[in-house]
Amino acid sequence: MTWPETPERLPFPVVDNHCHMDMPPRDVDVLSVDEALDRAAAVNITRIVQVGCDLPGARWAVETAKAYDSVVAAVALHPNEAPRLAEAGKLEEALAEIDSLAGSGDYVRAIGETGLDYFRTGDEGKEAQHHSFREHIRMAKRHNKALMIHDRDAHADVLEVLDDEGIPDRTVMHCFSGDADFAMECVERGAFLSYAGTVTFKNAANLREALLVTPRDRILVETDAPFLTPSPHRGQPNASYLIPLTVRLMAETLGISADDLCRDISANTDRAYGGTWPERI
């Protein structure tokens, strides 16, 4: 397997709002951080939010954000991680370390990805997931960080927990996976909706309908790399340099220019994550 060809450069700098550079894709040469950032910068993806899903990933995200001005970190325990840690009696200890990492510097801009995932975790894991999600919400408020939510097959419960805890000032629905009605529910609560390569899939009409009702000042874009590679490269590995494919499909769906959408996404990202950070030269 090979990396997909490089798409046409975007007309204005855009941010990959959710990436896992520490997760090597299968059956392809691994890109170093420098290679990943250079390929991204070549198509005008000049900044990246690196997301940690467990303790090693969160530590890696923080160290990488400290080392590269174009990267900021998001730290959390993925909802599927919470039941495993709870069963081992280590959930509270892990949450305490995430809390410490969250306060380690301005290069940490988000608490995420946290939330609920009922696809891989059954009823036996829900209690731990809910507890972990609530603790991450409180963490985001305590540190004045954005809350980055992972939501899979759990729309109603995610909203119920947010309503009960009180939604943070800045909340991002990572890899938005709902329909137009759910999009409006999230928007009404002040959330940003981050669209991944899935919005380009032929069978994802619900996501394109959701995009159409999302106010332009709430739209973000992401890769979730190395996963969710946009069309026409489904089945190949994903990386930040492929975001132009997603952005151009989104702009076409919205009936606006790629330049206008890029500018919207860049401004929205700054608002979502609490200010600018240096671009990669």
Side-chain angles (χ1 to χ4, degrees), residues 2-10 16 19 31 35-45 48 223 225 229-230 233 236-245:
T2 60
W3 284 99
E5 62 186 25
T6 301
E8 181 183 353
R9 179 181 173 89
L10 288 172
D16 182 353
C19 187
L31 297 179
E35 289 171 328
L37 295 177
D38 285 342
R39 287 194 185 196
V43 295
N44 236 352
I45 309 304
I48 290 174
T223 56
T229 310
H233 300 296
Q236 293 180 266
N238 198 8
S240 297
Y241 77 91
L242 295 174
I243 275 205
L245 298 171

Side-chain angles (χ1 to χ4, degrees), residues 74-91:
V75 297
L77 304 175
H78 190 283
N80 290 325
E81 186 74 4
R84 292 193 286 269
L85 289 166
E87 186 176 353
K90 296 182 177 180
L91 180 55

Side-chain angles (χ1 to χ4, degrees), residues 3-204:
W3 284 99
E5 62 186 25
T6 301
E8 181 183 353
R9 179 181 173 89
L10 288 172
F12 189 83
V14 169
V15 184
D16 182 353
N17 275 266
H18 193 111
C19 187
H20 302 283
M21 290 186 287
D22 59 323
M23 294 184 181
R26 297 177 181 176
D27 304 322
V28 71
D29 291 338
V30 175
L31 297 179
S32 69
V33 173
D34 284 302
E35 289 171 328
L37 295 177
D38 285 342
R39 287 194 185 196
V43 295
N44 236 352
I45 309 304
T46 56
R47 297 182 286 167
I48 290 174
V49 182
Q50 169 65 27
V51 181
C53 293
D54 54 19
L55 288 180
R59 296 171 192 139
W60 194 93
V62 169
E63 290 305 310
T64 302
K66 287 169 66 175
Y68 293 89
D69 287 343
S70 57
V71 179
V72 294
V75 297
L77 304 175
H78 190 283
N80 290 325
E81 186 74 4
R84 292 193 286 269
L85 289 166
E87 186 176 353
K90 296 182 177 180
L91 180 55
E92 299 307 321
E93 178 184 345
L95 286 167
E97 182 169 348
I98 294 294
D99 188 52
S100 177
L101 289 169
S104 62
D106 187 53
Y107 39 79
V108 180
R109 295 293 181 91
I111 305 300
E113 57 188 284
T114 181
L116 302 175
D117 187 325
Y118 296 164
F119 181 75
R120 292 190 181 89
T121 299
D123 290 343
E124 71 283 354
K126 287 184 178 180
E127 182 178 354
Q129 283 198 6
H130 279 246
H131 172 68
S132 179
F133 186 23
R134 288 177 182 275
E135 289 301 314
H136 282 89
I137 293 171
R138 295 165 189 170
M139 221 180 285
K141 293 178 180 180
R142 187 161 59 247
H143 292 284
N144 190 28
K145 307 288 185 182
L147 178 71
M148 180 187 287
I149 295 178
H150 172 106
D151 164 25
R152 189 164 187 185
D153 295 349
H155 298 336
D157 283 3
V158 164
L159 294 182
E160 183 178 346
V161 172
L162 285 173
D163 289 343
D164 187 47
E165 288 290 333
I167 192 165
D169 291 338
R170 293 173 287 115
T171 295
V172 175
M173 301 300 293
H174 144 62
C175 188
F176 182 78
S177 60
D179 57 14
D181 289 339
F182 184 60
M184 291 308 301
E185 291 265 24
C186 296
V187 167
E188 287 168 4
R189 290 165 171 80
F192 295 87
L193 308 189
S194 186
Y195 290 90
T198 45
V199 75
T200 72
F201 296 175
K202 289 182 179 179
N203 63 350

